[in-house]
């Protein structure tokens, strides 16, 4: 792991956030999923499509899991996009908004969000290279590229002819040196509303993207990604359980949109797409979630009556059982070892934050949350890095057993953590040594 990636990962933990990279070194207990998920990623890279649902309670590591899997996808040269579902910002029943968020969050191994323009420019470059290889000259290069564009997007144009038209309009605007129109057309391609009418007329398109057009645009984006050298697109729809809190009519529309999306993935319309949703068990099993729409419940039905050790990682749903005290300690030890690699005093860190101390800290943090180790990882890692390891590294005379008392204040807790912490009888909890 490079020094930059290590620092970035450690800084994210210090802030109580999930790192965006380096997750393979932090993963504990995910080994049992690797073989099946890698096989699915390879199948998607070869032209298949996969839908996966990840279920787990708060703190079970759903965000970590999807970013860990996304990093494995990125290593295979997938583009990735992580979308937070919410009633106000990204309602699932409005797929045109979901597509817009997808393009806004689109990232590749070379470009951060939004990588849409970089991907499209790379695609046109690839078309030019193919046209030149086929014998096109300078005089007819533009015409040959146009023919290749039409051929590559022939299937897409059956469902979303405006996608190809907008791409032609984007290229024509660039050729004229009209950067403002090109940028506006690109925004329209990304699903942005309220694009200037003059830019839309220049590209030969009209109106804004709608719910059904979003399917065609996603299909077009997958084609552009593949032809520009990417092996697929990995998309996460996170926190889908928020659907349980919206109005019943919006909830029913969102559940049906999810059913439509799953059916389109399984129909083969989106080759190169690996789509993941995350949610709580209540969303998948409760009356206000998936069970509200019988066809959706049938598509997501998975047997979880057996011991979690025997869960099938090839199934449509994956279950994350959450952290135990032992797995939380193993995670803390992995973070300590990673931190020490770039520390000024690695030996002092390993001596003072030894395995026994990490176990004590994990137990104490769990104690502030009603003894729930399963929801403690975020707070535990934040305290370990920011309150303990940083101080050991910077101050020669700092000993966490003598100079540090674990203190958890309501302001640094999430709502779920705050509810658990309110069940304890003390605001400040001392480590038992």
């Amino acid at each position: 792991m490079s020094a930059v990636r290590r620092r970035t990962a450690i800084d994210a933990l210090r802030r109580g956030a999930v790192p965006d990279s380096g997750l393979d070194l932090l993963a504990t207990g995910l080994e049992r999923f690797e073989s099946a998920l890698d096989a699915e990623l390879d199948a998607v890279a070869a032209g298949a499509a996969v839908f996966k649902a990840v279920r787990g309670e708060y703190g079970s590591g759903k965000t970590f899991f999807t970013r860990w899997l996304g990093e494995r996808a990125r290593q295979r040269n997938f583009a990735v996009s992580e979308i937070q579902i919410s009633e106000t910002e990204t309602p699932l029943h409005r797929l045109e908004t979901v597509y817009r968020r997808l393009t806004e969050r689109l990232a590749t191994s070379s470009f951060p969000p939004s990588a849409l323009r970089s991907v499209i420019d790379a695609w046109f470059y690839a078309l030019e290279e193919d046209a030149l290889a086929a014998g096109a000259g300078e005089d007819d290069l533009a015409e040959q590229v146009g023919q290749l564009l039409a051929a590559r997007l022939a299937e897409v144009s059956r469902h979303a002819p405006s996608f190809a038209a907008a791409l032609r309009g984007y290229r024509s605007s660039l050729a004229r040196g009209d950067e403002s129109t090109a940028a506006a057309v690109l925004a329209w391609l990304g699903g942005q509303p309220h694009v200037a009418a003059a830019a839309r007329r220049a590209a030969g398109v009209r109106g804004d993207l709608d719910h059904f057009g979003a399917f065609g645009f996603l299909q077009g984006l997958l084609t552009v990604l593949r032809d520009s050298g990417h092996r697929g697109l990995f998309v996460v729809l996170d926190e889908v359980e928020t659907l349980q809190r919206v109005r019943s009519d919006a909830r029913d529309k969102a559940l049906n949109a999810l059913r439509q999306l799953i059916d389109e993935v399984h129909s083969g319309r989106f080759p190169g797409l690996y789509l993941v949703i995350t949610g709580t068990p209540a969303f998948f099993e409760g009356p206000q979630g998936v069970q509200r729409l019988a066809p959706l419940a049938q598509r997501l039905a998975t047997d979880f009556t057996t011991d979690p050790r025997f869960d099938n990682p090839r199934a449509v749903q994956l279950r994350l059982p959450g952290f135990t005290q032992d797995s939380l300690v193993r995670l803390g030890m992995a973070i300590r070892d990673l931190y020490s690699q770039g520390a000024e005093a690695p030996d002092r860190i390993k001596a003072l934050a030894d395995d026994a101390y990490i176990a004590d800290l994990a137990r104490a943090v769990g104690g502030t949350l009603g003894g729930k180790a399963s929801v403690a990882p975020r707070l535990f890692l934040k305290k370990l890095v920011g309150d303990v390891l940083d101080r050991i590294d910077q101050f020669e005379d700092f000993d966490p057993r003598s100079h540090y008392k674990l203190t958890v204040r309501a302001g640094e807790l999430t709502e779920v953590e705050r509810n658990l912490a309110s069940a304890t009888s003390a605001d400040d909890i001392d480590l038992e040594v």
Side-chain angles (χ1 to χ4, degrees), residues 123-134 136 141-154 168 223 227:
W123 184 64
F124 276 116
Y125 178 79
L127 292 185
E128 290 179 356
E129 291 294 302
D130 289 347
L132 291 171
L141 179 60
E143 179 182 353
Q144 294 298 316
V145 168
Q147 292 176 3
L148 282 176
L149 183 152
R152 302 279 173 87
L153 295 177
R168 283 191 289 267
T223 300
D227 287 352

Side-chain angles (χ1 to χ4, degrees), residues 1 3-15 17-23 26 335 338 385:
M1 188 179 191
V4 172
R5 291 176 66 211
R6 182 172 57 247
R7 284 197 301 271
T8 300
I10 292 297
D11 184 59
L13 297 175
R14 185 182 288 118
R15 292 181 284 106
V18 177
D20 291 322
S21 63
L23 300 176
L26 309 181
I335 298 302
L338 179 66
V385 173

